[in-house]
Amino acid sequence: MEWLSVAADDPAMCRNAWEDDPRRPYMLSAGRIFDVVAVEQRLGLEVFDQLLRRSLPFGPTILDCKASRVGFFLGSGSQGPFTHFLGQETAEPPDYRYLGSNSVVVVPGPMPMDGDRYQWLRAPSRRPEANPLRAVALATMLVASAELLARADRYSERYRTPYAAVAALPEEAATDAG
C-alpha cells in the first residue's frame, strides 16, 4: 500500500491512518499516480469477471457497496487511450465516470473486511503501470459486458419463466426436444 499512500495529499498521514486502522477507507487524489473508471455495480462485476476469466491485463479494482459502483484503476494519463478504444468498440458507450486530474476516489484500507462499504475486488500489489493494454482490455470488456447484460435483460423480458421459452418453440422443435 506504500505506492497507494503516495497519491494522498499527505502520504505520511495516510500511512499513519492505515497503521491505526487497516480497514479505514481513505480519500486519494486521482490523476497523479492512477486514474479510475467507475461504472455501476452490475456492469462492473461482469467486466471484472470477464477480465479475470480471460486473463486480460487489469489493475486494482474497488467496490463501493453503498453506492453500488465498481472502480477500475488505470495508470494516470490513460483517458486518451481508454476513450479511443472505447470509441473503436461502439458509438454508444455504456455509462461510466472517468476520474483523472482534479478528481478524488475513496479507497478501502489495506485490509477491509466483508461487510465494509469499500472493498478491494482486486487489491493493489504494485503501482499501476502506464500500460495501454489495460485501457484496451477495459474498454473492450466494458462494451462487451454491457451488450451481454442488455441481451440477458431482453431475454428475461421476453421469457418471464423457462416454461415461457419452451412454450414459444414451434411445435416441431418442441417435439424434437422431448
Side-chain angles (χ1 to χ4, degrees), residues 69-134:
R69 308 278 297 169
V70 173
F72 297 90
F73 283 58
L74 294 171
S76 61
S78 294
Q79 187 168 11
F82 175 76
T83 55
H84 170 79
F85 290 113
L86 196 61
Q88 295 293 309
E89 293 295 320
T90 183
E92 296 181 30
D95 289 338
Y96 71 94
R97 289 188 59 205
Y98 194 95
L99 305 172
S101 297
N102 300 317
S103 299
V104 294
V105 63
V106 177
V107 299
M111 296 184 342
M113 297 182 73
D114 286 343
D116 287 351
R117 175 180 176 169
Y118 301 99
Q119 298 185 16
W120 292 107
L121 293 177
R122 183 177 197 179
S125 58
R126 63 185 189 287
R127 182 178 178 161
E129 303 155 0
N131 179 347
L133 294 178
R134 286 185 177 175

Side-chain angles (χ1 to χ4, degrees), residues 150-166:
R151 188 175 185 132
D153 289 345
R154 285 191 304 273
Y155 178 83
S156 296
E157 290 167 6
R158 187 170 179 188
Y159 305 112
R160 298 277 180 204
T161 67
Y163 302 108
V166 172

